[in-house]
Amino acid sequence: MEKHNKIQNLIQHHFKCDERRKKFIALFIVSLIRARTICLSNLSILFNPKVHTESNYRRIQRFFQDFEMDFSQIGQLVISSIPQANFILTLDRTNWKFGKKEINILMLGLVYKGLSIPLCWELLDKRGNSSFRERKDIVSKGLAILGKDRIKCLVADREFGSGRFFRYLKKSGIDFHIRIVKTTVIKKYKSKISDVTSMLSHLKLYKYMVLPGKKIIYDEEIYLSGMKTEKDEYTIIASSSNPEEAQKIYKQRWTIESLFGNMKTKGFNLESTHMQDNEKLKKLIGLITIAVLWCYLIGVWIESSIKIRIKNHGRKDKSTFRKGLDHFCKILNSIENLIFEFECVMKVLSCT
């Protein structure tokens, strides 16, 4: 019980709800990490061993049905847990289908030490790409939580390349490096010049180039840079400023792809949920966010004190997230035998 109280203390000041709800959230996250799945029937077995599994299951169901979660509080928990002055934001979308239900998640993340951590998310009640309004709303929520001064820039893939979105980001004072489609047309005054690839077609493969001066695309003045990746394929990045660093910073976009993998098959199997109600799913993602955050922080702490093994393919033998998940799971599953290790992890998560 004392151990669970210490875990509850990690969220104590971030959730403005009664102690019973805070205890539930702590128990749910512990069960989630121990089980490595969001399957509620599995979680109900681990949730509270002093209570019948069926009672645990009904309690979990009631939480998702009745609890009004303030998602900005989770965002505040995330940024207060990360010792970093400013952040690169990542914006992307992941989707899958459960029966006839389209599950479509738009997410804004924070990059920390080569990782993305969720800051805001929305369930889109449709299939396919997000709209300008949906993109604007989620970035506005992130801006309200984080503040403009702590945002270095935003990176995103081709889905998010549009004049309206560029104008919104500029007006909000958010720098960006966003990939655009290769058929994008560059304009000079009111006449069409050509698609952007015509200015990069002479490049050798993987040779990076910043086009001189600003160019007009989507009726906006933007810096452009890019490279040819293979025959007739290009990575072209639109930047509001500092185009010379666009290629390096844009690579951070892949951290949100890794995040989706960690939330799904490489971590908590989010895609196996049978939840179909968007509000319930949004709460579930909120709880997974805390679990992901804690596993990341533990993984970063582990890597700070050991030599990182790099395999022949150039990647780590185990991801930072997986190291944290494995270590925390081991401790929680044998907490009475690993008291010292538990206390060390609590210090990491409490930032003390």
Side-chain angles (χ1 to χ4, degrees):
M1 182 59 70
E2 180 187 352
K3 310 298 186 301
H4 284 112
N5 288 339
K6 289 188 176 183
I7 294 173
Q8 183 178 330
N9 287 339
L10 298 174
I11 62 170
Q12 187 71 30
H13 304 296
H14 297 282
F15 284 93
K16 297 177 181 178
C17 55
D18 59 48
E19 294 300 313
R20 182 172 57 93
R21 292 300 195 190
K22 292 175 184 178
K23 181 179 179 181
F24 175 93
I25 292 170
L27 285 172
F28 187 93
I29 296 169
V30 166
S31 302
L32 180 64
I33 292 170
R34 290 180 65 195
R36 301 183 185 227
T37 179
I38 50 74
C39 178
L40 299 189
S41 59
N42 288 356
L43 294 178
S44 62
I45 296 171
L46 299 172
F47 191 77
N48 187 347
K50 296 181 180 180
V51 177
H52 288 300
T53 300
E54 293 78 7
S55 298
N56 283 333
Y57 190 82
R58 287 194 294 272
R59 184 181 176 189
I60 293 171
Q61 286 182 313
R62 287 195 298 271
F63 174 87
F64 285 102
Q65 181 68 43
D66 302 330
F67 181 56
E68 296 293 328
M69 186 176 285
D70 184 344
F71 298 100
S72 66
Q73 292 174 0
I74 297 178
Q76 290 293 344
L77 187 157
V78 169
I79 61 176
S80 67
S81 302
I82 303 175
Q84 188 163 298
N86 52 32
F87 296 92
I88 297 172
L89 300 181
T90 52
L91 180 63
D92 207 353
R93 192 174 52 80
T94 187
N95 62 279
W96 67 92
K97 196 169 184 176
F98 178 72
K100 295 183 178 180
K101 169 70 175 179
E102 296 284 349
I103 299 176
N104 197 357
I105 304 169
L106 180 65
M107 183 170 288
L108 185 70
L110 300 175
V111 177
Y112 174 63
K113 293 185 178 294
L115 311 165
S116 264
I117 303 170
L119 180 66
C120 304
W121 53 93
E122 289 294 338
L123 273 293
L124 307 182
D125 196 18
K126 62 179 182 180
R127 62 182 297 180
N129 291 355
S130 58
S131 67
F132 164 71
R133 175 59 60 185
E134 290 160 343
R135 300 165 195 170
K136 177 183 175 183
D137 287 349
I138 196 168
V139 174
S140 297
K141 288 176 182 177
L143 191 59
I145 295 170
L146 191 58
K148 184 177 70 173
D149 293 340
R150 296 193 68 184
I151 299 175
K152 177 178 175 63
C153 64
L154 179 143
V155 294
D157 204 4
R158 286 166 289 192
E159 175 184 333
F160 304 95
S162 76
R164 291 185 71 188
F165 193 47
F166 290 170
R167 284 190 288 276
Y168 162 72
L169 293 173
K170 285 181 176 180
K171 187 175 180 180
S172 301
I174 300 174
D175 287 334
F176 58 85
H177 302 287
I178 297 177
R179 189 176 177 183
I180 58 174
V181 296
K182 66 179 182 180
T183 54
T184 299
V185 173
I186 298 176
K187 291 185 178 181
K188 185 176 182 181
Y189 305 112
K190 294 185 178 181
S191 62
K192 291 184 179 180
I193 297 298
S194 61
D195 62 75
V196 68
T197 56
S198 66
M199 304 189 74
L200 300 171
S201 58
H202 66 284
L203 293 176
K204 295 181 179 179
L205 285 180
Y206 304 107
K207 178 69 175 179
Y208 182 71
M209 175 183 179
V210 177
L211 300 184
K214 288 186 176 181
K215 308 298 178 186
I216 299 175
I217 61 168
Y218 310 142
D219 295 323
E220 283 294 308
E221 285 193 338
I222 296 292
Y223 292 103
L224 293 175
S225 58
M227 63 180 175
K228 186 188 295 185
T229 55
E230 55 184 276
K231 184 179 180 181
D232 298 326
E233 290 298 326
Y234 297 82
T235 298
I236 305 164
I237 304 169
S239 305
S240 57
S241 62
N242 303 319
E244 63 282 351
E245 65 178 18
Q247 182 190 32
K248 179 181 178 181
I249 291 182
Y250 178 75
K251 288 180 180 178
Q252 299 297 317
R253 193 201 73 79
W254 292 102
T255 61
I256 199 168
E257 299 285 359
S258 297
L259 167 63
F260 291 145
N262 294 335
M263 298 181 81
K264 295 190 284 188
T265 56
K266 295 179 181 179
F268 302 115
N269 291 296
L270 176 58
E271 286 177 310
S272 68
T273 181
H274 288 190
M275 288 185 186
Q276 298 189 48
D277 180 81
N278 281 351
E279 284 305 309
K280 292 180 182 178
L281 281 166
K282 193 173 179 182
K283 294 172 192 175
L284 178 60
I285 293 170
L287 297 179
I288 293 175
T289 291
I290 301 173
V292 166
L293 170 68
W294 288 354
C295 291
Y296 276 168
L297 293 176
I298 293 168
V300 169
W301 169 68
I302 291 171
E303 290 187 342
S304 70
S305 57
I306 64 171
K307 183 178 180 180
I308 300 173
R309 291 177 57 195
I310 304 298
K311 289 197 166 186
N312 293 335
H313 50 51
R315 296 189 294 272
K316 292 185 284 189
D317 63 329
K318 191 185 290 187
S319 72
T320 307
F321 166 80
R322 184 60 183 272
K323 287 174 185 173
L325 175 60
D326 287 351
H327 189 64
F328 204 12
C329 181
K330 178 182 177 181
I331 291 171
L332 293 174
N333 282 326
S334 187
I335 201 164
E336 298 304 325
N337 298 320
L338 299 170
I339 295 174
F340 174 76
E341 290 81 355
F342 176 79
E343 295 296 337
C344 289
V345 162
M346 288 300 100
K347 288 182 180 180
V348 171
L349 298 183
S350 60
C351 304
T352 59

